[in-house]
Amino acid sequence: MEVATLSKKSHVKMLKCRECGKEYPPIKIHACEECFGPLEVVYNIDLLNINKHTIEGRSKTLWRYRELLPLEDAAKIIDLGAGFTPLHECKRLAEALGLRRLYIKNDTVNPTGSFKDRPATVAISKSIEFGFRAAGCASTGNLAAATAAHAAKAGLPCYVFIPSNIEKSKILQAAAYGAKIIAVKGTYDDANRLAAQASYEYDLAIVNINVRPYYVEGSKTIVFEICEQLGWRAPENLIIPVGSGALLCAVWRGLKQFNELELIDELKTKIIGAQPEGCSPIVRAYKSNLGDVSPIEKPDTVAKSLAIGDPGDGIYALRSIKESGGLAECATDEEIIEGVNLLAKTEGIFAEPAGGITIAVLKKLIDSGDISRDEEVVCCVTGSGFKSLEIFSSRQLNIVEVEPTLNSFERTMGLEVLIEHG
Ligand SMILES: *Cc1c(COP(=O)(O)O)cnc(C)c1O
Ligand SMILES: [Zn+2]
């Protein structure tokens, strides 16, 4: 084991095993040596000198919460401007759904178009601090671009392991940042296994495997921002898309940290996990009241970012949902695309299916009475529609073709046309 070079003043206290509680210094290690359990960063919360006022005065990226992020040396930060994305109050969508107070956290506007820029900026910065000479990830699509972009800015070679059937636009985007793309003939779980083997053989920072304890810390900043943007309070209901479950767990942990630091007054948020019906191991476990999550062999869904059959943080996500008094629900591909469309048409926010699923699940929960009209809801819309344009056909989108003449235009549009001059 390496010797920790942790200064006395560090805000990071240690890594701790989530299973057996064994403690480690914050070094290059990602699983417990006793029980192989996942490790989690613990902070010196009592020593932190942080308050609303200092945070509000800082730059508008997720690094404004740096005391709750696991980097020691600020000079190592690789920052493309991830985070501090808008929280929109959505009156038209709320009305369409029959709700009083609805907010969208619009993470589609991150530098590479998804919330994955949050964990990627933290993981690549930490990889530089650790002295890794190359980076990479296993990805369902979005992490590929986020890791590749941050690695490009850091000047690190980048190796991206993806299942070969993901959206072409996501592969092209990651490749454009200069990453080597390894398209694995198999599922995400196969790509993940191969990436893990590579990380044991080479000096390679696979951000969501051997840098994972640090990587996951970036994701919780989405809820720090939501609290700050609501005027330093926690939302009533928070709907989160779930693949591996890492984001959901990070959000719950983040809320507890904000509560401990008294940056919010009370913690009463119900965490709602959203999964596609074609890959919903966590929803199934929740609904059949099981303590464990059984993997799904062959995920089949339009929400490819969420197609993780064997979710690494599955049980922990389930626990977080229950601890918060929340729930888990799924939506069909059709409902997901309807959600994408409704969000775009009412609020001007264009999401990929993995983001639109939060609207689909919200609609279901209102219909079933699990969420009532007077409750406040925040939906995390985690990825941009530009990532998966191929889900639409031009017929669905109501596109008409005309000759370049006013005559043809009027003939084609018929009675639909327009608002004439008064
Ligand atoms: C990765 C991803 C998720 C799910 O994140 P997990 O941490 O794997 O649960 C949700 N939405 C989008 C757009 C993603 O890319
Ligand atoms: Zn352990």
Side-chain angles (χ1 to χ4, degrees):
M1 204 194 282
E2 291 173 46
V3 183
T5 53
L6 187 58
S7 80
K8 282 222 170 59
K9 282 189 308 207
S10 174
H11 60 295
V12 176
K13 192 170 178 186
M14 62 182 162
L15 295 178
K16 191 170 180 182
C17 175
R18 273 199 256 174
E19 282 302 320
C20 74
K22 189 171 158 76
E23 299 176 357
Y24 298 86
I27 53 168
K28 249 167 140 175
I29 181 176
H30 71 286
C32 178
E33 290 173 346
E34 298 289 323
C35 75
F36 303 107
L39 303 179
E40 167 172 296
V41 177
V42 180
Y43 298 86
N44 279 311
I45 295 274
D46 328 336
L47 302 183
L48 296 187
N49 186 13
I50 183 175
N51 60 47
K52 298 171 191 176
H53 192 70
T54 31
I55 294 171
E56 282 166 355
R58 288 176 176 168
S59 71
K60 290 186 166 19
T61 82
L62 60 81
W63 290 102
R64 70 206 268 108
Y65 309 105
R66 56 180 172 258
E67 284 85 351
L68 292 165
L69 294 171
L71 209 72
E72 299 297 336
D73 181 358
K76 298 292 189 318
I77 293 177
I78 304 296
D79 186 8
L80 290 171
F84 221 76
T85 57
L87 181 73
H88 295 288
E89 183 165 11
C90 291
K91 297 217 164 94
R92 276 170 43 77
L93 180 56
E95 197 183 309
L97 294 170
L99 209 60
R100 287 235 173 84
R101 265 176 313 148
L102 173 62
Y103 298 87
I104 299 292
K105 179 61 170 169
N106 184 11
D107 250 26
T108 71
V109 301
N110 273 306
T112 72
S114 87
F115 96 91
K116 291 293 198 306
D117 287 318
R118 298 177 183 274
T121 179
V122 174
I124 294 293
S125 302
K126 194 67 194 177
S127 302
I128 296 285
E129 194 171 87
F130 276 144
F132 279 105
R133 304 221 319 275
C137 63
S139 173
T140 53
N142 288 330
L143 185 57
T147 304
H150 288 86
K153 180 148 176 86
L156 284 183
C158 184
Y159 298 84
V160 162
F161 296 79
I162 47 158
S164 55
N165 74 341
I166 67 166
E167 298 98 323
K168 198 168 171 211
S169 47
K170 290 182 180 169
I171 302 176
L172 294 178
Q173 188 191 4
Y177 296 118
K180 301 258 185 328
I181 308 294
I182 300 106
V184 180
K185 295 176 189 164
T187 62
Y188 169 78
D189 295 313
D190 296 318
N192 192 55
R193 249 185 315 273
L194 181 58
Q197 285 166 353
S199 77
Y200 306 143
E201 295 297 321
Y202 308 101
D203 188 32
L204 198 54
I206 301 288
V207 297
N208 53 338
I209 297 176
N210 56 337
V211 193
R212 191 168 180 89
Y214 304 99
Y215 159 88
V216 296
E217 291 298 284
S219 300
K220 70 189 177 188
T221 56
I222 193 172
V223 82
F224 290 169
E225 293 168 15
I226 291 170
C227 292
E228 183 178 346
Q229 288 164 324
L230 286 173
W232 298 100
R233 65 174 182 85
E236 278 175 34
N237 294 282
L238 189 55
I239 307 187
I240 301 168
V242 175
S244 72
L247 173 61
L248 189 145
C249 293
V251 161
W252 183 234
R253 213 166 48 245
L255 277 171
K256 290 198 281 194
Q257 288 169 349
F258 252 35
N259 195 40
E260 228 179 304
L261 283 162
E262 294 176 9
L263 290 168
I264 51 175
D265 290 338
E266 61 175 339
L267 177 49
K268 37 135 212 208
T269 307
K270 288 188 205 135
I271 305 283
I272 299 169
Q275 290 201 297
E277 199 168 274
C279 184
S280 50
I282 294 167
V283 174
R284 282 190 207 181
Y286 171 81
K287 290 196 171 179
S288 25
N289 211 6
L290 300 172
D292 210 353
V293 176
S294 324
I296 302 224
E297 283 280 317
K298 291 225 169 354
D300 178 17
T301 168
V302 69
K304 300 214 183 301
S305 304
L306 305 179
I308 299 181
D310 189 5
D313 285 309
I315 337 169
Y316 306 107
L318 200 56
R319 280 186 210 157
S320 304
I321 288 167
K322 288 181 181 166
E323 216 179 293
S324 77
L327 53 89
E329 186 56 270
C330 59
T332 63
D333 281 0
E334 200 180 323
E335 291 166 338
I336 290 170
I337 292 176
E338 217 173 280
V340 167
N341 282 327
L342 185 63
L343 176 61
K345 285 174 186 169
T346 55
E347 297 294 342
I349 296 171
F350 188 31
E352 69 169 292
I357 193 174
T358 55
I359 312 303
V361 160
L362 172 58
K363 187 167 187 301
K364 268 178 102 164
L365 295 175
I366 294 169
D367 290 346
S368 67
D370 285 295
I371 290 180
S372 72
R373 183 178 161 69
D374 293 325
E375 288 180 64
E376 172 190 72
V377 178
V378 177
C379 290
C380 293
V381 172
T382 44
S384 165
F386 292 128
K387 299 272 197 170
S388 49
L389 285 170
E390 57 255 60
I391 68 166
F392 298 106
S393 66
S394 50
R395 194 175 47 79
Q396 270 176 311
L397 292 181
N398 209 7
I399 297 168
V400 296
E401 206 167 275
V402 299
E403 299 303 323
T405 63
L406 189 59
N407 196 302
S408 167
F409 166 69
E410 285 179 345
R411 213 166 353 97
T412 313
M413 298 301 283
L415 289 178
E416 226 180 279
V417 141
L418 289 174
I419 303 159
E420 286 178 51
H421 286 294

